[in-house]
Amino acid sequence: MNARRALRAAPALGLLLLAGCGIRPTEVPTDFGGAPSRVPCSLSQPELSTQGARGVPVQAFLLCGQSLVTVDRTVRVPEGTADARRRVIVAQGLLDQLAAPPSASEKAAGYTTHVPGGLTVTGPHPHDPEDTLRLSTAPADLNSYALAQIVCTLSDSAAAEGDGSVVLGGPGDTRPRHYECTEDVRSHPATTKPPSTEVPTG
């Protein structure tokens, strides 16, 4: 009889011990999953390749956490290059930087890019404004992320007038448009297109 009473008391004793340890008994399995991931969107130190590279220091806009963030880059420009040619060289260098995969440390920090490889740029057509940049792919054919990256990067560089805007066109005869990089574009590139207006040609 004593043995039977001890067996019947064992479950109750187990519950008391659990309660005494501050653990509430439950018959429902619990799985809280892994810890929430955190994307820092910041690098612990400057890229060594950027530090040691020679050229014109520039900034390019990559994506991180659904927003645009800047990274330091360099673009090589031959000395004595005329301003018109210099603008195109800088623009092409920036497009190449945007299309290149982020470095290992940038990937670890959550950086990505949507700019396609092989994108090229030329200067204005005969009747375009002199600061026009013509892309090999029409701006309207780029996805919202890529267009935001390109507009914000070029408008903030020596490839444009430095007023937060850039004049872009495609490879055809369509009129170029005046694009702006706004705070909303930088914060929400997926849903906010760079504001643009058609530029009259000569």
Side-chain angles (χ1 to χ4, degrees), residues 57-141:
V58 294
Q59 287 192 318
F61 281 85
L62 299 183
L63 285 159
C64 190
Q66 301 301 311
S67 299
L68 295 183
V69 292
T70 57
V71 293
D72 294 327
R73 295 287 189 264
T74 58
V75 173
R76 293 181 178 273
V77 180
E79 292 185 10
T81 303
D83 287 345
R85 181 59 185 158
R86 179 186 178 88
R87 183 183 296 116
V88 175
I89 291 175
V90 171
Q92 184 63 64
L94 286 168
L95 291 179
D96 293 342
Q97 295 284 2
L98 289 173
S103 67
S105 60
E106 288 169 349
K107 286 180 180 178
Y111 290 70
T112 60
T113 183
H114 280 251
V115 176
L119 194 63
T120 59
V121 60
T122 59
H125 286 183
H127 299 290
D128 290 342
E130 64 178 9
D131 58 344
T132 300
L133 296 170
R134 291 271 182 176
L135 304 178
S136 56
T137 297
D141 293 336

Side-chain angles (χ1 to χ4, degrees), residues 136-153:
S136 56
T137 297
D141 293 336
L142 297 168
N143 69 41
S144 60
Y145 289 117
L147 182 59
Q149 284 184 258
I150 292 171
V151 168
C152 289
T153 297

Side-chain angles (χ1 to χ4, degrees), residues 47 53 58 74 79 134 139 142 154-155 157 159 163 185 187 197 201:
E47 292 290 299
V58 294
T74 58
E79 292 185 10
R134 291 271 182 176
L142 297 168
L154 294 182
S155 66
S157 73
D163 61 352
V185 172
S187 300
T197 54
T201 58

Side-chain angles (χ1 to χ4, degrees), residues 5 8 45 58 82 94 124 184:
R5 288 176 182 174
R8 286 198 297 267
Q45 59 185 4
V58 294
L94 286 168
D184 284 342

Side-chain angles (χ1 to χ4, degrees), residues 165-181:
S165 65
V166 63
V167 179
L168 297 177
D173 295 329
T174 57
R175 291 184 179 181
R177 299 185 70 85
H178 186 269
Y179 291 87
E180 294 182 58
C181 176

Side-chain angles (χ1 to χ4, degrees), residues 30-57:
T30 58
D31 182 9
F32 297 102
S37 60
R38 181 176 66 88
V39 179
C41 295
S42 62
L43 300 173
S44 58
Q45 59 185 4
E47 292 290 299
L48 294 178
S49 59
T50 300
Q51 288 179 323
R54 292 182 178 180
V56 178

